[in-house]
Amino acid sequence: MKILSKQPTPEPAPEAGNEPTTDARDDAHELGGWSTGAQANTTTLVRWVAWAAICGSILLSLGTFLTRPTDTPSTDHQPPPGTGAQGAAGFATLYASEYLLAGKGDEGRLAAYYPGAATLRLEGSRGRLTPSQLTVTRLRQTGPGIWSVTVAARLQPPSPPVENDDVKGKDSDSPGPDTGADAGPPQGESVRYFQVPVASAPRADGSTGYVAMSLPAEVAGPGTVDSPHTVYGTPQPPHDRDPRVKTIRSFLAAYLAGDGDLDRYLAPRTRLTRIAPAPYTAVDLTSLAADGPADATGVPPDGTVQRLLVSVRARAADGTTLPLTYALTLKTRAGRWEIASLDGAPEARPAPAPSSP
């Protein structure tokens, strides 16, 4: 069907001598001062400009994502090595060691860590307290660039003085220092805890510097808590008729003593590496506690999983034995037990849900 449109009435020609008309009347080819062709072209141009801007932004973001390394942070924002908690902990450990060793005349040594130590008057001989082991037991940030580090120090008892007959003189019967029974036994090894405040700030060369804000404060050590209940039952002696015992014995003999092929006792997709060189010559299984039947004489269906806590005594080359405990997960396949995992810790029993009021 054809749609007939009404043709516009032709405008009368201008009379001679009159100036051409330039009024703003809209005709069939003008809308609001824009010709339909110009409007269409402008609309298309605006649309393409908008799409170009959007696509350009997407491509720019994608390019930035693809060109930026994913395994290392940008060097513009990467902190200098040794910053933060790790650097503060190391600095505090060194400071605590120097503090414990310091004696009369060591004020300058301490001032390298804590400038205020330059005005101290230390007493006693250097090494009167000798730390044999230092470790950080608590680390917390108390403010921007401020760290509180608790260092545990295992201290050796001071060495008793060595008697010298030349010093005592020719008369060997002359009384010397009282080192007999009345003096009491020497003080034994002890563990003490020191809280060290450390401040950190960037240096002019871009590295991070540290300084102690005060002398260490001796504090109480961390408390202990009750051990959580585990999922394992009562430990039982191993029985030769238990197929789990054969697997565990063979696995630990290969793992600890290098006796046999380790992989043959592992479940598929389980990867473990034997200890090398082997630290023990033999392994004796002493007890096992299971999350399930304590004494199994048969092998359950394939895919059965059971967790066990196993105690052993491992014999070293010199004949001494060392007690060890392993948390293991076993799984059945093809009618036998296999080691599915060497667990990082015994499995704790879930805490009971709080009772509703």
Side-chain angles (χ1 to χ4, degrees):
M1 176 184 295
K2 293 183 178 181
I3 300 178
L4 299 179
S5 61
K6 183 178 180 181
Q7 297 296 327
T9 304
E11 292 290 333
E15 297 179 357
N18 295 339
E19 294 296 329
T21 60
T22 57
D23 54 23
R25 293 177 303 166
D26 295 340
D27 59 14
H29 300 284
E30 295 184 3
L31 295 174
W34 290 75
S35 68
T36 55
Q39 185 188 34
N41 292 337
T42 303
T43 302
T44 302
L45 178 61
V46 172
R47 184 182 299 115
W48 278 108
V49 170
W51 275 110
I54 295 173
C55 293
S57 177
I58 295 175
L59 291 175
L60 179 61
S61 300
L62 182 61
T64 303
F65 174 77
L66 292 176
T67 56
R68 182 169 179 174
T70 57
D71 55 345
T72 56
S74 171
T75 55
D76 295 339
H77 304 286
Q78 186 174 2
T83 59
Q86 183 178 3
F91 180 87
T93 302
L94 292 174
Y95 175 40
S97 176
E98 187 60 49
Y99 170 80
L100 292 169
L101 286 169
K104 184 177 181 180
D106 289 336
E107 292 83 0
R109 291 174 177 265
L110 279 185
Y113 299 91
Y114 169 52
T119 61
L120 295 177
R121 292 182 58 186
L122 299 178
E123 299 180 355
S125 60
R126 179 173 177 82
R128 182 177 59 89
L129 297 177
T130 303
S132 62
Q133 183 182 6
L134 293 167
T135 187
V136 173
T137 59
R138 189 182 185 192
L139 176 63
R140 58 191 178 96
Q141 189 171 10
T142 61
I146 308 298
W147 303 86
S148 176
V149 187
T150 301
V151 179
R154 187 182 300 276
L155 302 178
Q156 298 289 346
S159 300
V162 178
E163 295 185 3
N164 191 326
D165 291 340
D166 294 336
V167 176
K168 293 171 61 177
K170 295 181 180 180
D171 186 3
S172 59
D173 295 332
S174 60
D178 186 4
T179 57
D182 294 340
Q187 183 181 2
E189 186 180 71
S190 62
V191 178
R192 294 157 68 179
Y193 298 83
F194 297 87
Q195 184 174 278
V196 181
V198 177
S200 63
R203 293 163 47 93
D205 60 0
S207 63
T208 298
Y210 300 91
V211 66
M213 301 175 65
S214 69
L215 291 171
E218 187 158 1
V219 295
T224 59
V225 297
D226 294 334
S227 178
H229 297 288
T230 64
V231 299
Y232 312 99
T234 303
Q236 302 290 335
H239 296 289
D240 291 338
R241 66 178 183 272
D242 188 341
R244 300 170 303 179
V245 169
K246 180 180 179 180
T247 297
I248 294 171
R249 278 176 175 165
S250 300
F251 162 71
L252 291 176
Y255 184 70
L256 296 173
D259 183 10
D261 182 12
L262 181 67
D263 291 339
R264 66 177 296 184
Y265 307 108
L266 303 180
R269 295 181 296 278
T270 298
R271 298 291 180 265
L272 289 175
T273 303
R274 71 171 75 237
I275 301 176
Y280 305 103
T281 59
V283 180
D284 182 25
L285 180 62
T286 58
S287 70
L288 70 160
D291 178 18
D295 183 10
T297 57
V299 179
D302 289 0
T304 302
V305 176
Q306 190 174 68
R307 293 167 294 191
L308 295 100
L309 195 63
V310 177
S311 296
V312 302
R313 295 196 70 88
R315 185 178 298 107
D318 62 358
T320 59
T321 61
L322 184 69
L324 302 169
T325 301
Y326 290 89
L328 302 174
T329 298
L330 274 62
K331 189 175 183 179
T332 56
R333 183 178 69 93
R336 65 178 183 273
W337 286 100
E338 296 176 329
I339 305 298
S341 67
L342 176 59
D343 302 330
E347 186 73 18
R349 186 182 305 168
S355 58
S356 58

